[in-house]
Each structure stands twice: as C-alpha cells, then as structure tokens.
Amino acid sequence: MKDKAITPTRNERVMREDDFIVSKTDLKGRITYGNEIFIEFSGYTEQELLGSQHNIIRHPDMPRAAFKLAWDTIQAGREFFAYVKNMSKDGGFYWVFTHITPDFGPKGEIVGYYSVRRCPRRDALAKIEPVYRQMLEAERAAGARDAISAGTKVLVDLLQQSRMSYEQLVFAL
C-alpha cells in the first residue's frame, strides 16, 4: 500500500526508448497485473503493487482534474492518451506517455483497464508541464471541494483558445 510519508524528490528516472510499462486494473483501479518494467520504475515489488490502487504511483505535481478526465473517458468506453508524471516508491519521478484503454468482456461490458506507457518526447513535456502547473495552482486556490472543476476550467479554457479537442492537443505537443 502507498506510504503517505513518501516525499517527492528531484531524482528523475528516464525511460529507455524501447521500454513499455504495462499494467492492468479492475474496474475500481486496483492493479491486477504489472510487467517487469512497471515494477522497476515504480520501485514497488509485485506483491506491493497487486491489489493496490493504481494511484499508488500518482505524483503530487499531477492535477486531480487530469485523472478525472482520464476516468471519465475510459469509463465511457473510449481510449485515453496523456503525458503523466509518476512517482516511485523512493520519491523519485518518471514521465510517461500513456495510453489507457478499456478491457471489454465477451458481452461488450467493460471489465477492467489496460495502460501502456512509453518514453515521452522531452519537447512535449516542456509544453505540458506549464499547463499542469496552472491546473494545479487553480486546484489549490479553489480548495479541495472545488479543485477538480477549477483545474478542469484551466484545461477547457486552453482548449477553447487553441481551438482543439483534448486529443488534438495531446498529439500536437
């Protein structure tokens, strides 16, 4: 389980070009599978990861609104792409370009979720980090109750200004 006492550090681990981090969760976001590279980058053992909420690797620099968008998208049966900053058990961090997709059962119902993460482009990170900082600042200023809507407003305003959908923005980075 996630240790609430983990302090983020500035120690970055950079994914190798040929790395793919793969994990699978149930409908509630509990990890049911993680490949060796997921275990390596997370710093947790397989036993610590299995059954834990996937947010065990959530970095506090990531806005809550980003995860709300992810959940809304995949629960609606659509795939989701994003740049995400994750936190290892030792407090270090690693950036990924993630693709999350629903796992459908034989009757077409969603039975879980797959996530495949790869090495992100550094130039894209330089563009998304300021957006995440603005979203996080808005969330903190709004307080816990209104945080997600405040962070979402920052993103929606950006999308309207750029005249892009979320997916267009992510792929344009």
Side-chain angles (χ1 to χ4, degrees):
M1 297 309 201
K2 187 168 186 169
D3 181 355
K4 298 289 184 199
I6 294 175
T7 302
T9 70
R10 294 181 186 198
N11 299 331
E12 180 177 10
R13 300 194 58 187
V14 178
M15 288 185 69
R16 298 165 296 256
E17 280 297 319
D18 58 346
D19 279 346
F20 285 92
I21 295 175
V22 179
S23 60
K24 184 176 178 183
T25 70
D26 64 13
L27 291 172
K28 302 269 189 212
R30 290 181 298 250
I31 300 168
T32 59
Y33 169 78
N35 71 348
E36 288 180 21
I37 297 173
F38 180 45
I39 293 165
E40 174 191 342
F41 274 83
S42 74
Y44 291 94
T45 66
E46 183 177 31
Q47 293 74 23
E48 289 173 312
L49 289 170
L50 295 179
S52 295
Q53 289 295 133
H54 207 286
N55 68 5
I56 191 170
I57 58 168
R58 182 178 182 265
H59 196 285
D61 287 351
M62 286 298 299
R64 291 172 52 197
F67 294 107
K68 171 84 164 85
L69 176 60
W71 274 107
D72 288 351
T73 303
I74 62 176
Q75 287 177 328
R78 298 187 316 271
E79 61 187 347
F80 182 78
F81 295 89
Y83 290 90
V84 177
K85 186 176 187 179
N86 290 322
M87 187 165 64
S88 301
K89 184 179 179 179
D90 66 2
F93 69 94
Y94 57 102
W95 280 96
V96 297
F97 180 66
T98 189
H99 175 212
I100 308 170
T101 185
D103 180 18
F104 294 98
K107 297 177 184 164
E109 76 283 13
I110 298 172
V111 296
Y113 305 99
Y114 282 104
S115 179
V116 178
R117 278 95 70 202
R118 60 188 55 138
C119 184
R121 290 189 351 268
R122 298 310 285 190
D123 61 323
L125 298 180
K127 295 174 187 171
I128 198 64
E129 280 185 283
V131 174
Y132 287 161
R133 272 195 301 276
Q134 289 177 336
M135 291 172 70
L136 207 51
E137 288 168 13
E139 288 180 3
R140 288 179 179 143
R145 189 183 61 148
D146 298 318
I148 292 174
S149 60
T152 300
K153 182 180 182 332
V154 170
L155 182 59
V156 168
D157 289 350
L158 173 67
L159 294 173
Q160 288 175 343
Q161 289 169 9
S162 63
R163 294 191 169 110
M164 292 184 183
S165 69
Y166 171 77
E167 291 79 12
Q168 289 171 322
L169 174 72
V170 169
F171 289 114
L173 293 175

